[in-house]
Amino acid sequence: MRFSVLVLGNSSATPIYERHPTSQVVNHNEQLYLIDCGEGTQIQLTRYGIKSNRINHIFISHLHGDHYLGLVGLVSSMHLMGRKSDLHLYGPAPLQEILALNFKYSETELRYNLIFHPTNPDETEVIFESKLLRVESFPLRHRIACTGFRFQEGVRPAKLNMEKVAKLEIPPALLNGIKWGLDFTDRDGQVYPSNELTTPAPVPRSYAYCSDTVRIPDYLPAIHGANLLYHESTFLHEMKDRAVETFHTTSLEAGEIAAEAAVGHLLLGHYSARYKTKELTLLLDEARSAFPQSELSVEGKWYDVV
C-alpha cells in the first residue's frame, strides 16, 4: 500500500527564485490529500503530473499567505474544470469567510460542494477518518493560530496463507474473520489458530507535518514515533533570536525535536529566502548534528513513509 509525500513548495514567506511557498501532496493508497496551498500550488501540481480533481481533502495549517494564498485559485480552477465531487477543506475558522468574500465579489458559484471543517488551534483532534487512514490536527505555537497534522494508518488485517487455506478447504465466508484473528475449526473439530493461517500485517505507518512554530515541548506527543516528520527549519541556529521573534524554528532545533520525538526520519523545509540553494547544506549539517536521519526536502521529489 503506497504511502508517500510529494513536496510542492518548501520556501518561507519571501519569494525566491526556484523555490515555492509551502504545499505538499500526501498519497495514501492512491488517495491524494493536499497540505497547505501557497501561491503557485496549482502550477506545481501541473508540473509534477498531479490532477487536482483527484484531491478530495485539503488541510490548511494557518492563515499566513505563504500557506494558503494559492487556495482561491486552485478551488476556482477545479470549478472551471467541471469538478462535480465534494471537496473537503480543513483549516482555521476565518478561512471560510475569506473564501466566501472572494466568491461573492467574483460572482462565483461553485459547481461542486465545498465542505468546510474548522480546525481547533487549542486541542488535538481527529478531523478525518476512514478505514485506512486517520488525520489528526494538533496545536503549534506561531504568531497566529496554527496547527500541525498527523496522517496515521489504521490497523490492517493479517495476510492469508493461501496454500494452507486451500489445503484446509476453508469456506470463503470465513476468510475475512481469520484475517482479523478468528480461529478456524474444521468438520472434525480440529482448531487452527489464526496466526497459523496468516502472516502478520505490516505495522501501521505515520506522517507528521509541523508547519510554522517556535520550539515548544507541547506538540511532542502528537508527533512521537512518526515514521516521517516534516518540520520547518527556517533559520540556522546562529539566528535563534530571530527565530524566537518570528515564532519559527532553527534547523538544529528541528533535529533536536526529531530526536526527542523518536521519529524515524526528518524532512527539513520552510527555508528562509536568505539561504541560496547551495547554502541549504548548512541547515542539513546542523540538523544532522542532533539527528543523523535528517534530509533536505526537495521540490518535485516523492518521499516514502517507511
Side-chain angles (χ1 to χ4, degrees):
M1 185 180 296
R2 183 175 181 181
F3 194 0
S4 54
V5 179
L6 172 65
V7 175
L8 299 175
N10 56 18
S11 189
S12 57
T14 306
I16 183 172
Y17 180 67
E18 292 187 336
R19 291 210 300 266
H20 299 78
T22 301
S23 187
Q24 300 182 357
V25 172
V26 174
N27 183 328
H28 184 263
N29 195 34
E30 299 308 321
Q31 300 297 309
L32 302 185
Y33 306 84
L34 186 70
I35 308 178
D36 279 341
C37 190
E39 294 172 85
T41 292
Q42 61 178 320
I43 300 298
Q44 291 291 84
L45 289 169
T46 300
R47 176 172 290 145
Y48 299 118
I50 304 296
K51 294 182 179 179
S52 61
N53 279 344
R54 288 187 60 198
I55 297 169
N56 295 318
H57 300 269
I58 299 176
F59 303 87
I60 302 297
S61 62
H62 66 294
L63 295 181
H64 280 157
D66 55 319
H67 292 260
Y68 88 95
L69 283 180
L71 185 61
V72 172
L74 177 61
V75 169
S76 298
S77 291
M78 289 177 172
H79 161 77
L80 294 173
M81 290 186 290
R83 182 186 182 100
K84 299 297 183 183
S85 58
D86 293 350
L87 178 64
H88 293 264
L89 176 62
Y90 310 78
L95 182 57
Q96 188 171 25
E97 179 184 0
I98 291 171
L99 291 173
L101 284 172
N102 276 274
F103 297 144
K104 175 182 178 180
Y105 289 109
S106 64
E107 298 184 5
T108 299
E109 293 186 14
L110 298 178
R111 294 188 176 95
Y112 59 90
N113 291 325
L114 179 60
I115 303 168
F116 185 72
H117 307 266
T119 50
N120 186 341
D122 299 317
E123 295 181 9
T124 297
E125 291 187 340
V126 175
I127 56 176
F128 167 79
E129 190 164 19
S130 68
K131 290 182 179 179
L132 297 177
L133 187 70
R134 182 179 74 250
V135 182
E136 295 178 347
S137 65
F138 55 89
L140 297 172
R141 186 175 297 172
H142 193 41
R143 193 165 54 81
I144 61 174
C146 185
T147 63
F149 303 106
R150 179 171 179 139
F151 290 71
Q152 178 69 52
E153 276 188 323
V155 176
R156 287 184 275 170
K159 295 183 178 181
L160 291 168
N161 183 321
M162 295 309 297
E163 184 177 342
K164 291 184 178 180
V165 167
K167 183 178 179 180
L168 294 171
E169 298 181 344
I170 300 176
L174 301 181
L175 297 182
N176 192 57
I178 292 171
K179 290 194 291 185
W180 285 104
L182 296 181
D183 299 335
F184 169 67
T185 304
D186 67 13
R187 292 189 182 94
D188 300 323
Q190 176 71 38
V191 177
Y192 295 87
S194 171
N195 60 10
E196 293 182 4
L197 302 173
T198 59
T199 57
V203 176
R205 299 162 292 177
S206 58
Y207 172 59
Y209 171 86
C210 285
S211 178
D212 299 10
T213 184
V214 70
R215 178 182 180 175
I216 54 172
D218 304 45
Y219 60 87
L220 289 178
I223 65 174
H224 187 270
N227 296 82
L228 179 63
L229 167 67
Y230 174 93
H231 199 289
E232 71 123 298
S233 53
T234 308
F235 302 107
L236 286 169
H237 203 67
E238 65 189 20
M239 298 195 69
K240 174 68 162 56
D241 290 345
R242 178 63 174 162
V244 171
E245 178 186 356
T246 57
F247 288 84
H248 283 297
T249 308
T250 70
S251 51
L252 176 61
E253 289 175 320
E256 292 172 342
I257 289 164
E260 292 170 16
V263 305
H265 197 83
L266 171 65
L267 270 183
L268 304 174
H270 201 265
Y271 315 124
S272 169
R274 63 177 28 87
Y275 305 117
K276 304 299 185 289
T277 300
K278 63 181 180 181
E279 297 173 312
L280 296 181
T281 54
L282 299 174
L283 282 80
L284 179 60
D285 290 343
E286 203 169 72
R288 282 182 172 172
S289 70
F291 188 73
Q293 295 76 34
S294 300
E295 186 173 351
L296 292 172
S297 66
V298 177
E299 293 185 6
K301 183 175 178 179
W302 285 98
Y303 298 87
D304 291 332
V305 181
V306 293

